Amino acid sequence: MDCVYCDSTVEEHDPVYVAEGAVDAEPMAFCNYACLTTYVDEHGLADGAACNWSP
Ligand SMILES: [Zn+2]
């Protein structure tokens, strides 16, 4: 699986998977929390969606 943020193969790092919204939604994969938090910052997902995370 490729990192949503930087397109690296997440399995080569310390992968973090985020399922957003619906149960059957495609999970987003990030190589690590740095990519996750940067992606969230750039897309403003921290506003309102934070309670859906399961780190
Ligand atoms: Zn990444």
Side-chain angles (χ1 to χ4, degrees), residues 4-39:
V4 172
Y5 180 67
C6 71
D7 289 334
S8 295
T9 302
V10 297
E11 284 81 4
E12 294 176 357
H13 301 275
D14 182 20
V16 179
Y17 299 97
V18 178
E20 191 184 7
V23 176
D24 60 351
E26 184 104 347
M28 297 187 295
F30 300 88
C31 359
N32 51 45
Y33 279 102
C35 281
L36 170 60
T37 56
T38 306
Y39 178 86

